Amino acid sequence: DLSAGRVILLFSGRLIPRKGLKELLQALSDIDDVASWVVWIEGDGPLAAECVRESERLGIASRCRFLGFCQMKLHSWLMRNAEVVVVPSLKDSWGIAVDEGMQLGKCVISTTSTGSAYERIQHGENGLLYQASDVSVLQGFLRNVVEDNGLRSRLGKSAAQTSASYGPERNVALIKKLAMPDKHW
C-alpha cells in the first residue's frame, strides 16, 4: 500500500457496533470510484467476520485490510504511516485514536459523539467533525481528503499544533481552575 501511492485511511478500534465501522464501510463504498485509497482496519471483536463480509458485499474488500488486534509497536507504525485517521464512533467517551492522530499531524475525521474529537477538533480548522451515523457527510469528507492532498496536509499540520498546546502546564492550569474556580490564577 505504501509503495502504490494510495491514500491510506486508518480505523483503529474494537470491532463492536458503537465504534461505527459498518458506517465507515458504507461511506467508503460510495467513494469506490476514487481510485487511490485503501483502509487499514486495526482491531478485533465480535463484528470482525461480519465486517469482512460487509466489505465483500459492498464491493470494497480489495481496498480493506483487516489487520486484527495489533500490539503497540505495530499500532504505532500504522498510525505513523496512515494519512487519515477516521473515528466513526456512534458513542465513545474519549477515543484515543483522535489524540494519537492529531499528535502525529494526521488529518482526523471523527464524529461529534467521540469525546476527544468534540473537545479538540475545530471543524475545518484542525480536523473534520460530523454527526454520528451521517454516512453521506462522512462520504463527502472522505472523498474530499482522498482527492485533496493540500486539505489533508493543512488539517494535519493544524492538528499537530493543537496537540502541542495540550502540555502539562495547560493541564495544571485547568485543574487549578476546576479545583478552585473562585481563585484567580
Side-chain angles (χ1 to χ4, degrees):
D1 291 334
L2 293 173
S3 62
R6 297 180 178 114
V7 175
I8 298 171
L9 311 168
L10 175 65
F11 168 93
S12 177
R14 186 115 166 89
L15 303 188
I16 56 177
R18 73 176 174 85
K19 291 295 190 172
L21 179 57
K22 284 185 167 183
E23 288 76 6
L24 173 58
L25 294 174
Q26 180 62 51
L28 289 170
S29 73
D30 291 338
I31 65 163
D32 193 42
D33 60 322
V34 179
S36 61
W37 65 268
V38 64
V39 61
W40 291 346
I41 300 166
E42 176 193 14
D44 201 359
L47 294 182
E50 187 176 332
C51 288
V52 169
R53 286 191 301 275
E54 185 69 2
S55 72
E56 292 166 351
R57 186 186 73 74
L58 293 168
I60 57 171
S62 66
R63 296 173 180 262
C64 298
R65 311 293 185 257
F66 287 90
L67 306 172
F69 173 79
C70 299
Q71 294 294 336
M72 186 52 78
K73 187 173 181 178
L74 179 54
H75 167 76
S76 177
W77 185 90
L78 294 170
M79 191 66 74
R80 284 190 322 271
N81 285 285
E83 292 180 70
V84 180
V85 176
V86 186
V87 184
S89 295
L90 307 178
K91 180 181 172 185
D92 201 333
S93 59
W94 191 249
I96 193 68
V98 171
D99 290 323
E100 292 171 330
M102 291 179 77
Q103 287 175 22
L104 291 169
K106 304 302 175 181
C107 173
V108 178
I109 301 173
S110 183
T111 66
T112 55
S113 297
T114 304
S116 53
Y118 184 80
E119 170 72 25
R120 298 202 172 166
I121 293 177
Q122 288 82 45
H123 178 71
E125 299 287 323
N126 63 355
L128 298 170
L129 290 171
Y130 69 100
Q131 295 293 316
S133 297
D134 195 336
V135 173
S136 64
V137 170
L138 175 57
Q139 180 265 322
F141 289 167
L142 290 167
R143 180 178 295 279
N144 289 341
V145 301
V146 166
E147 292 177 339
D148 189 343
N149 182 49
L151 176 63
R152 287 192 313 273
S153 178
R154 180 180 61 77
L155 292 172
K157 285 178 184 173
S158 184
Q161 290 171 343
T162 298
S163 285
S165 73
Y166 283 84
E169 298 83 13
R170 182 182 183 278
N171 294 341
V172 169
L174 288 173
I175 290 169
K176 285 179 179 180
K177 278 184 179 180
L178 290 171
M180 294 177 256
D182 296 332
K183 188 167 180 164
H184 299 289
W185 296 98

